[in-house]
Amino acid sequence: MINSQPEQTLLREPCRLLITGGAGFIGSNFVHHWCNNYKRDRVVVLDALTYAGNRQNLASLENRENFRFVKGNICDRAFIDSLLQEENIDTVAHFAAESHVDRSILGPDAFIQTNVVGTFTLLESFRHYWMSRGQPQSDRFLHVSTDEVYGSLAPDDPPFTETTPYAPNSPYSASKAGSDHLARAYYHTYGLPTIITNCSNNYGSYHFPEKLIPLMCINILLGKPLPVYGDGQNVRDWLYVGDHCRALDVVINQGKPGETYNIGGNNEVKNLDLVELLCQLMDELAPHLPVQPSTKLITFVKDRPGHDRRYAIDASKIKRELGWTPQETLLSGLRQTIAWYLNNRDWWQPLLSEEYQAYYQKVYGIEAIK
Ligand code: NAD
Ligand code: DAU
């Protein structure tokens, strides 16, 4: 699933890593990446197992030495305090978040709780624990964030850089912006070795069905409408999740505390073009589709409120300073992703639950998928 890479920091001491949100999409890909590449490290996954968290994503690691899964909430200070102590953590990779823009429009409360209050609680707990250990400069707190904090670009604007002013437009991106500011402030005020990454749209294995790419793949397999918001001309910059995990790896191992690194795939695509490409690939790769060609299923639906028009990332800083570039093209990444959804029906089918169908009905107002 993830490209393996040689253990690049063989000389460093094994670390003791806490991964929050490690049962979600990117978090679980990252857990697999780390466990495959850094076998001597202790990996502790903390996840509340919300609708988006799935312990199955980590099933193949459960019996492994040096791996532990803990169910818990990042808003629970006493619990985090004792977990950090008990596991003697020196590195935090913080993925836990409410992550879906459409859900943030339906109900922003959980976004403020987890993304703002939860990140604050984690930072505050880690700060006290770090101070009690004499403020080791080798500790790291990686805060995983999004390009959405920068707002929306006009067609000819240059891509977002690390100095683009924040202008979040949805409750989701506003809550992520709040958490970024806290991570930044903890470095500047207390010297806590935080690093922030702002990444563009990911896709790949273990991606919950509500997001664009898995939703389209699954609906094509089921012969259901493919809902394209508005005129379908919004642009996103797509990055294969394995490339994101490799970027986070170099940031943890080589990044500078107090810095921000933008991560992106250099793959700007209009939504409608992407959906048409997915249809074409599915027609080619999936046997016995109920409706062919799949493009017949494309349906324009009411636009997302406040829908950001265009995102694009300038990832030249992480390339220049840390030597990271993406390995997958959009085509190679999509082929792997489609193959994964074709081979893992047992993973996604149970996720189309009653709760999911109620959500689907609220967002699209059309027949839920079954
Ligand atoms: P996801 O929704 O798939 O996973 C989030 C995980 O966090 C789930 O396992 C969930 O159970 C867990 N979680 C939620 N609330 C929690 C809480 N209070 N305590 C503990 N665990 C909790 O999200 P994702 O797409 O994997 O995104 C991971 C991170 O990366 C997020 O911070 C997101 O903002 C960021 N990000 C995502 C993308 C993307 O395209 N998906 C791009 C850039 C950045
Ligand atoms: O840019 C990074 C962000 O990418 C992350 O921070 C978020 O966590 C992640 O969810 C993602 O946000 P988007 O809103 O861009 O992703 P989503 O997959 O929901 O939508 C991608 C684009 O497709 C967006 O322009 C909206 C559109 N869309 C989405 C869905 C679900 C549709 O046209 N139809 C749909 O049914």
Side-chain angles (χ1 to χ4, degrees), residues 20-28 46-54 57 72-75 94-100 110 113-115 118 143-148 172 176 197-203 206-208 210-211 238-239 244:
T20 72
F25 162 46
I26 306 174
S28 61
L46 162 65
D47 198 295
L49 297 181
T50 67
Y51 80 95
N54 189 344
N57 299 359
N73 197 309
I74 56 166
C75 299
H94 175 36
F95 294 86
E98 288 293 335
S99 71
H100 190 35
Q113 268 311 313
T114 286
N115 299 0
H143 175 63
V144 179
S145 191
T146 169
D147 59 358
E148 299 203 13
Y172 163 66
K176 289 298 291 187
T197 54
N198 295 96
C199 187
S200 63
N201 286 63
N202 282 218
Y203 65 98
Y206 301 123
H207 206 180
F208 192 82
E210 68 194 354
K211 304 283 176 73
W238 293 96
L239 179 70
H244 188 188

Side-chain angles (χ1 to χ4, degrees), residues 99 146-148 172 201 212 227 229 236 271 304 307 364:
S99 71
T146 169
D147 59 358
E148 299 203 13
Y172 163 66
N201 286 63
L212 181 75
Y229 294 158
R236 296 293 184 265
N271 290 340
R304 172 186 278 176
H307 195 175
Y364 301 97

Side-chain angles (χ1 to χ4, degrees), residues 45-302:
V45 172
L46 162 65
D47 198 295
L49 297 181
T50 67
Y51 80 95
N54 189 344
R55 209 165 159 174
Q56 275 303 107
N57 299 359
L58 305 171
S60 61
L61 299 169
E62 292 274 358
N63 295 323
R64 208 166 157 140
E65 217 188 323
N66 270 341
F67 175 83
R68 178 181 172 196
F69 177 86
V70 188
K71 185 174 175 193
N73 197 309
I74 56 166
C75 299
D76 183 344
R77 174 68 193 271
F79 167 73
I80 307 285
D81 284 351
S82 63
L83 186 63
L84 291 174
Q85 299 254 8
E86 186 192 335
E87 287 289 351
N88 201 13
I89 295 299
D90 53 40
T91 306
V92 176
H94 175 36
F95 294 86
E98 288 293 335
S99 71
H100 190 35
V101 174
D102 292 326
R103 288 194 192 245
S104 84
I105 296 167
L106 291 174
D109 306 45
F111 287 73
I112 303 306
Q113 268 311 313
T114 286
N115 299 0
V116 182
V117 178
T119 300
F120 164 70
T121 306
L122 197 61
L123 281 164
E124 198 48 5
S125 177
F126 192 64
R127 175 174 81 87
H128 282 278
Y129 162 78
W130 174 73
M131 287 170 61
S132 74
R133 288 160 48 249
Q135 309 186 358
Q137 291 309 300
S138 55
D139 278 13
R140 288 291 177 271
F141 185 108
L142 169 69
H143 175 63
V144 179
S145 191
T146 169
D147 59 358
E148 299 203 13
V149 297
Y150 298 123
S152 185
L153 293 168
D156 297 325
D157 284 344
F160 302 128
T161 70
E162 288 78 0
T163 56
T164 301
Y166 274 35
N169 291 319
S170 71
Y172 163 66
S173 53
S175 67
K176 289 298 291 187
S179 64
D180 291 13
H181 291 322
L182 286 166
R184 175 190 158 93
Y186 270 63
Y187 172 77
H188 285 277
T189 306
Y190 305 113
L192 193 73
T194 63
I195 306 183
I196 300 168
T197 54
N198 295 96
C199 187
S200 63
N201 286 63
N202 282 218
Y203 65 98
S205 52
Y206 301 123
H207 206 180
F208 192 82
E210 68 194 354
K211 304 283 176 73
L212 181 75
I213 288 182
L215 186 142
M216 295 298 164
C217 292
I218 290 170
N219 284 17
I220 291 170
L221 287 171
L222 299 176
K224 298 284 177 181
L226 308 180
V228 173
Y229 294 158
D231 62 3
Q233 298 303 300
N234 303 65
V235 173
R236 296 293 184 265
D237 178 356
W238 293 96
L239 179 70
Y240 185 62
V241 66
D243 279 327
H244 188 188
C245 294
R246 290 175 38 256
L248 298 176
D249 178 331
V250 295
V251 169
I252 289 177
N253 280 309
Q254 299 164 46
K256 246 179 87 187
E259 291 291 319
T260 289
Y261 298 93
N262 278 0
I263 304 169
N266 213 8
N267 273 317
E268 281 187 62
V269 192
K270 290 181 180 145
N271 290 340
L272 184 57
D273 294 342
L274 179 67
V275 173
E276 285 175 350
L277 177 60
L278 281 170
C279 287
Q280 190 189 316
L281 290 170
M282 288 292 284
D283 288 350
E284 180 195 320
L285 298 171
H288 317 304
L289 287 176
V291 178
Q292 271 193 309
S294 308
T295 45
K296 279 194 200 158
L297 295 168
I298 293 176
T299 310
F300 290 92
V301 299
K302 195 162 158 285

